[in-house]
Each structure stands twice: as C-alpha cells, then as structure tokens.
Amino acid sequence: MNIDSIQNGYVIDHITAGKAMQIYNMLDFASLDCPVAMIMNVHSSKMGKKDIIKIDGEVEINLEVIGYISPDSTVNVIKNGEIAGKSHIAPPEKLIDIIKCKNPRCITTTEQDIHHVFLLSNAKKREYRCRYCEAMAR
Amino acid sequence: MQHLINIMDLTTAEIDELIEVAKDILANPEKYQDACRHKILATLFFEPSTRTRLSFESAMLSLGGNVLGFSDSSSSSSAKGESLADTITMVSGYSDIIAMRHPKEGSPIVASEHTAVPIINAGDGGHYHPTQTLTDLLTIKTELGHFDGLTVGLCGDLKYGRTVHSLISAMSRYENVRFVLISPQELKLPSFVKQTYIKDAGLPYIQSTSLEDVIGDLDILYMTRIQRERFPDEEDYLRLKDTYILDEEKMKSAKRDMIVLHPLPRVNEISTGVDSDPRALYFKQAYNGKFIRMALIMKLLGIKI
C-alpha cells in the first residue's frame, strides 16, 4: 500500500491499533479541507500493531484528545517534506469538553453552559473522573 | 473565602477546632447569641430536608443572625428553568453565607464558582454531605473521646448514601481505622470512595452482606436508610428496602460500648425497641447537628468569640 509523503502537516504515529478512527471522529477530521490518510493495523516492532494518521495540511490539532485516546502516540510536524518537530503525547491532566459525564445524577447533565471537565485520577491506569461528581469516565 | 463542599476541604486540625467550639457553644450558648448579628444565612434547599435545613436555620437564629431561602425547588426560579449559576449569583447578593442542598452531584462546585459568599454543601445527590459528617464526628468525639483505632461499620445503602461517603473520607485520615462495609451487592460503596479513601490510604476493610456476622467487631455501627428517592427502578427499591433491620436481638451480639449512629430519617432499619438502648445515639447525634453548624457558620464568616 502506498501513501504519498506529505509536504506540510502532521504524522500522528504509534497510535494504539484500532484507535485511529476514534481520533478521526473526535477531532472531526472529516471537516478538514486537506487530505487525511488513515493507516491501520501496521506492523510495529515496538507495539506489535499500530495505527498512523497523516494530515496533509497545517491545521490545529487538539493534542489532549489524542493523549486521552492513545496516550503513547507521537506527533511529527512536517515542514517542506521534513520532520521539523516531534512530540510524545502523555495523558493530559485535565480534559475539557472532550467527553461528557454519563452519571445521570451529575450537575453537568442539567446545568446550562457548563464545561465538561475530567481530571486524571490515576496516571498508571489512565483513569479520569468527572470534576463535579467524581464518576469514572466511560 | 472558604467553602465547605467536601469534608476534605477541612484539615483534621480545623475539624478539632470546630468540635471544640461546638462543645463550648453547648456549654455556654449565651456567649454566642449575638455572634452573627446582622448576618444573613440563605438556605437553598432544592431537595426536601427536615433536620439539615431546620438545624441550619436554628443555628443561625441562635447566633443572632437572620435566615432566608426556600425549602422546595418548585417555589424557586429553578422551576422556571433558571440555571444554578444564575440562582447563586443572585442569592449571594442577598446573603452573607449560603447553605445549599441540591439533587445533582457536584452542584456545590458550580455554586462555588458563581458566588461572592461562602457556600456550604448541605448534601448533593448521592455524593457528599459534609455537615452531617461534622455532626457524626462531634458525636463520636464526645462519646468515645477519640477517632484513632476505631472499627467503623457502615450498613445499608453505601452506593447512594452521601453521609457514608463523607464519613469514610473523614475517618480515613485517622490512625488505624478499619472499615466494615455492610450492604447488598447492588448498593456497594462506589469506586471513587473505596479507591480514593480506603485503598489508596492503605486502610484495612472488609465487605459483608450480613450485619449479624460482623456486628460483634464494631466500635461504631452507622446505619443508613435505603433511599427510595435515589433508585431509578422502584422494583429494586422494594426488593432491597428491608435488607437490614437492627433490632434488640442483634444488639445483644454487639460490644457493650459500641455506639449506633444514623443520619436520620429512619424508616424501619432500626426498630424502635433499640431507641432506649444507651448505645443508640442517633437522636443525640441529630441534636448535636445544630451546634456544629453554629461553629461552622462562624468559622466560614471569620467570626471568633
């Protein structure tokens, strides 16, 4: 399979196998005006299998979303066809308006204009809890 | 400005200080009768309450202050769809301190972000009830003299029981405390309490579905009501409501110096025959609620006598 290399944009690498589609949907890549390539189930010596997303355009990416869905990913910034920067993604301490609380008794289910905030409660297990009711993110 | 949203907002030293002030108020009430003159407490009860609301109101009136508020959300603008943020913004302009009960969990955090005055959480859904815990701690300290080394049994609805969650978090900070969690499978302690305040604190605990099996080990038996209003399914409530009934027979297996606490109201989980047992302290506990709330109101208003 051939995917052309990109000139200016991003390569999101080392995505946990099967998670690329979730990142694509949550970051709404379908609405971008540039090509996006999803490469899934690629062999990885480090991970066994991994996914890769290539974005051929200079767009803004919410790294917190990637950190939440696939915390061991790397994001390579591509300028003029070369890698100009690389970041290793860690689980973010706080998620704001990325996921919603599923606890029907939580204040976020009724209060207007409230931010949905989750805090990292256990970095090892990558668990997040609602800032308001402390229910675990599901 | 200090709020009380979770009992953990107070250090153990601050709790000791509140208990000492409450004991002094109990001994010398006249000394405090004008402590909050010209101050206004707003009691915003979006959910029904008898003891908590009346004890807050009695506390403020006994401090020489005034009280305003509502006891039913249908008589407030929330019934018209007003957000909690707007209600609090408005009420904090009319009062010096707010005690709020709300059915939604985490609502006091929202209130604290939109207020110009201290917020006291008087119960948020099945989450926390820190002022009940202050009442519990005052009663335990008065009756047993200490918190360290106690075996605390909590029985009934540990899932939705906000008083249970707050008491466990408070007791987890004392030395050599041991928890005995007695509930049906469906009403077990939520993970946010068990993980944070018991497992992460490295405290010993056991879980049991039988009160009879463990009652003899306890220094404190904290009974709770199976709360009909918290069940999404009425059938589940009917199936579980009579799971635990503390009666005179079961009390025979308890230690002679065990104390029985209950946040009240009770339905039938403690038979009235137990009321005359000297170990049954739930009415004394309810009485204590007024005095610890007086101490708390003064502390949050920065008033010292």
Side-chain angles (χ1 to χ4, degrees), chain B residues 4 40 44 79 146 156 158 162 181 202 221 229 241 266 273 292:
Chain B
L4 178 60
I40 297 172
L44 310 186
H146 62 97
L158 308 190
R162 57 193 172 198
L181 309 173
L221 173 56
E229 65 274 24
K241 70 184 177 71
R266 72 167 157 193
I292 197 78

Side-chain angles (χ1 to χ4, degrees), chain B residues 281-292:
Chain B
L281 295 180
Y282 26 91
F283 291 115
K284 191 168 187 187
Q285 181 189 359
Y287 175 73
N288 283 339
K290 170 182 168 176
F291 301 97
I292 197 78

Side-chain angles (χ1 to χ4, degrees), chain A residues 103-112 114 121-122 125 127 129 131-136, chain B residues 81-85 102-107 109-110 113 126-128 160 191-192 195 197:
Chain A
N103 173 7
R105 301 180 306 280
C106 180
I107 185 66
T108 57
T109 61
T110 51
E111 186 72 356
Q112 306 151 25
I114 194 167
S121 59
N122 186 327
K125 293 184 186 168
E127 286 174 354
R129 291 187 184 277
R131 182 195 168 214
Y132 299 94
C133 71
E134 299 178 84
M136 188 96 80
Chain B
E82 183 175 57
S83 69
L84 177 61
H102 199 285
K104 290 292 181 180
E105 297 170 8
S107 51
I109 296 176
V110 174
E113 289 168 344
H127 196 210
Y128 291 130
Y160 300 114
S191 71
F192 77 87
Q195 185 66 46
Y197 300 114

